[in-house]
Amino acid sequence: MTEQTTEKLNPSIVILKTGDKLITFLQEVFEGEGEERKGVCLVMNYPYELDLISNPSPDNAVNDLQVKFSKWCPYALDSSYRISYDGVLTIGTPDPGLASAYEAKVQQAKEIEDNRNAELQQEAVQEVLNTTEISTAGVGADTDKHPIAEPFEQVDEEPAVTPEVV
């Protein structure tokens, strides 16, 4: 299976049959090549659930609506999810202001993810350094820990006798 990739993905509004309203970078997964190429499923990258919240104005005359972004699956560390075609009700294009706000949110999420990955790598390296004895082989090695081995005993053997062919 191969995923369709483009240099710059544009965000899409996806409404699932469950009623979830999402903004995500949407890709399609294909199988096969040429005329045999067939769509398998969709991949949602960095999906965020969209909610409208009321923001009352100071004069109480008009309530402004604002869009709230919530991580779609906050229990997972994943940022990409495969979804079958039949789980989607419709797909649309977001308002340019909403698309810009979403792209900024994703950039922030990527930076946090990169920092978390760097911290995890540093912790793993530190754990290895703390739990593993430092090797003493090489220049400045402690020969008490790695004594020079006794040479193999050399035995002079008589050459093997090969039978004569008559």
Side-chain angles (χ1 to χ4, degrees):
M1 281 187 273
T2 59
E3 290 183 23
Q4 171 189 3
T5 56
T6 59
E7 295 263 331
K8 165 98 168 73
L9 293 173
N10 293 317
S12 297
I13 300 291
V14 177
I15 300 176
L16 302 178
K17 286 188 177 177
T18 60
D20 292 349
K21 295 166 188 73
L22 309 175
I23 186 165
T24 185
F25 291 114
L26 197 60
Q27 292 178 289
E28 189 169 7
V29 177
F30 296 97
E31 185 175 65
E33 297 294 325
E35 290 184 23
E36 300 295 316
R37 184 172 152 174
K38 183 174 160 183
V40 177
C41 66
L42 298 171
V43 175
M44 298 186 304
N45 298 293
Y46 295 97
Y48 280 83
E49 192 166 2
L50 298 172
D51 289 310
L52 288 176
I53 56 173
S54 178
N55 188 14
S57 64
D59 60 5
N60 290 330
V62 179
N63 281 343
D64 289 335
L65 293 177
Q66 291 184 336
V67 177
K68 176 185 167 196
F69 293 97
S70 304
K71 189 173 177 191
W72 178 59
C73 188
Y75 313 105
L77 294 175
D78 300 320
S79 58
S80 293
Y81 301 88
R82 290 178 181 234
I83 186 164
S84 64
Y85 293 115
D86 64 355
V88 176
L89 183 62
T90 191
I91 298 170
T93 304
D95 172 87
L98 179 62
S100 294
Y102 167 71
E103 289 171 347
K105 183 78 167 173
V106 168
Q107 185 60 38
Q108 181 184 21
K110 285 180 181 180
E111 288 171 5
I112 291 169
E113 188 176 290
D114 290 345
N115 289 338
R116 184 176 356 144
N117 288 340
E119 287 172 6
L120 290 173
Q121 287 176 350
Q122 285 177 336
E123 288 174 13
V125 167
Q126 195 61 44
E127 185 177 322
V128 168
L129 290 175
N130 291 339
T131 60
T132 306
E133 284 189 31
I134 297 173
S135 174
T136 59
V139 176
D142 185 351
T143 57
D144 291 336
K145 289 185 180 178
H146 298 283
I148 297 173
E150 296 286 326
F152 290 111
E153 183 180 336
Q154 294 186 5
V155 179
D156 291 330
E157 292 184 21
E158 293 182 21
V161 179
T162 55
E164 266 185 46
V165 179
V166 182

